[in-house]
Amino acid sequence: MSRTETTAAAPAGRAEYCVVACAEAWRDAGEVLASPMGTVPAIGARLAKLTFSPALLLTDGEALLMGDTPAVGVRPGSVEGWLPFRQHLTLTATGRRHVMMGASQLDRHGNQNISCIGDWARPARQLLGVRGAPVNTLNNPTSYWVPKHSKRVFVEHVDMVSGVGYDRAAAAGPSATRYHRIPGVITDLGVFDFETPDRTMRIRSLHPGVALEQVTEATGFALSVPDDVPLTREPTEAELRLIREVIDPKGLRAREVPA
């Protein structure tokens, strides 16, 4: 057996389950811009483009639309378009984009905070700021990637709303709910969504080796739990080869989700 065959045949690790879960967020997305924020989501977006979402548009993270799908951290060998910041904002307003953002805090309704921790008048920590989160959540699908699932992130109430959740969008009325959608939240423990009658977070799947109690104890609010919680799907042999040999040969995924 060759070294390549041995590498591809090695069992999938937790980071690779997370990559596949992120890739699934862009399944059959069509010709939309993928905006992954984080190493694992970036690998996932590339995996989606190389497999089940070939029309997906990817950027180099700055101002170029990539014509090929290079490894993470490698400059594209082919460029098919220019997307400076002002045009990126215009694209966001049209809804032809699916962003996967991070979250310093996230509540049961999907309200996200990346601005500050503590009281607004005198915060204990200053973070990124609101940035484009409200426009993202009200104009195009917005998923979230949380590399370390904990009660510090999943809180009963966020200290400030940056990304808009389902309850606040509903309170704002039709102009806010028309294009508002949070397809999923992917963490190092599992995959979550808001497909419940009251649009609160539920468990969609758990990664292999993760116990239900481990997730509920690491979450600062009560999750909706289906009667039969499935496992996150297994990466195929072809997907593992792409992740390990083409997209992330340096193993950068393990920096976000250690083995």
Side-chain angles (χ1 to χ4, degrees):
M1 183 179 291
S2 70
R3 183 174 180 274
T4 298
E5 289 172 331
T6 302
T7 301
R14 180 70 59 82
E16 289 158 340
Y17 279 97
C18 292
V19 166
V20 167
C22 288
E24 286 289 346
W26 289 288
R27 178 177 285 275
D28 302 324
E31 194 173 282
V32 302
L33 179 67
S35 292
M37 300 182 186
T39 301
V40 167
I43 299 168
R46 284 164 167 77
L47 181 64
K49 182 172 178 64
L50 290 173
T51 53
F52 43 72
S53 294
L56 205 62
L57 301 178
L58 300 177
T59 77
D60 66 346
E62 295 183 17
L64 301 177
L65 286 172
M66 300 191 298
D68 57 357
T69 309
V72 173
V74 176
R75 293 189 64 81
S78 172
V79 174
E80 63 179 3
W82 185 51
L83 194 69
F85 191 62
R86 63 182 181 275
Q87 291 183 354
H88 201 131
L89 292 177
T90 301
L91 183 67
T92 299
T94 68
R96 293 177 294 169
R97 176 177 180 250
H98 184 162
V99 60
M100 187 172 289
M101 299 182 70
S104 300
Q105 291 180 326
L106 202 66
D107 70 18
R108 70 177 72 234
H109 298 283
N111 294 295
Q112 171 237 35
N113 175 23
I114 53 171
S115 185
C116 64
I117 301 297
D119 182 76
W120 169 253
R122 198 175 183 84
R125 293 286 186 275
Q126 178 64 52
L127 306 174
L128 290 172
V130 175
R131 300 179 70 86
V135 177
N136 288 340
T137 48
L138 296 183
N139 285 282
N140 46 227
T142 302
S143 296
Y144 293 108
W145 160 242
V146 178
K148 188 173 182 180
H149 192 126
S150 74
K151 286 184 177 180
R152 292 183 65 181
V153 177
F154 292 95
V155 296
E156 188 66 48
H157 302 287
V158 298
D159 291 335
M160 178 181 173
V161 176
S162 303
V164 180
Y166 279 99
D167 59 339
R168 288 179 176 269
S175 62
T177 58
R178 186 177 181 186
Y179 300 115
H180 178 268
R181 187 164 70 91
I182 307 174
V185 177
I186 296 95
T187 81
D188 61 328
L189 300 183
V191 182
F192 308 82
D193 61 26
F194 300 87
E195 300 302 317
T196 57
D198 59 353
R199 288 297 196 179
T200 55
M201 191 180 294
R202 72 163 186 172
I203 301 174
R204 184 192 297 170
S205 70
L206 297 179
H207 303 324
V210 176
L212 176 60
E213 294 75 16
Q214 183 180 353
V215 175
T216 55
E217 289 174 4
T219 307
F221 51 83
L223 289 161
S224 177
V225 182
D227 293 335
D228 184 18
V229 180
L231 293 178
T232 303
R233 80 163 177 88
E234 187 104 14
T236 67
E237 192 172 314
E239 287 173 333
L240 284 176
R241 184 172 286 108
L242 285 170
I243 294 169
R244 296 169 178 177
E245 300 173 15
V246 177
I247 305 171
D248 184 30
K250 294 182 179 180
L252 300 178
R253 57 195 179 277
R255 295 184 183 180
E256 282 192 332
V257 184

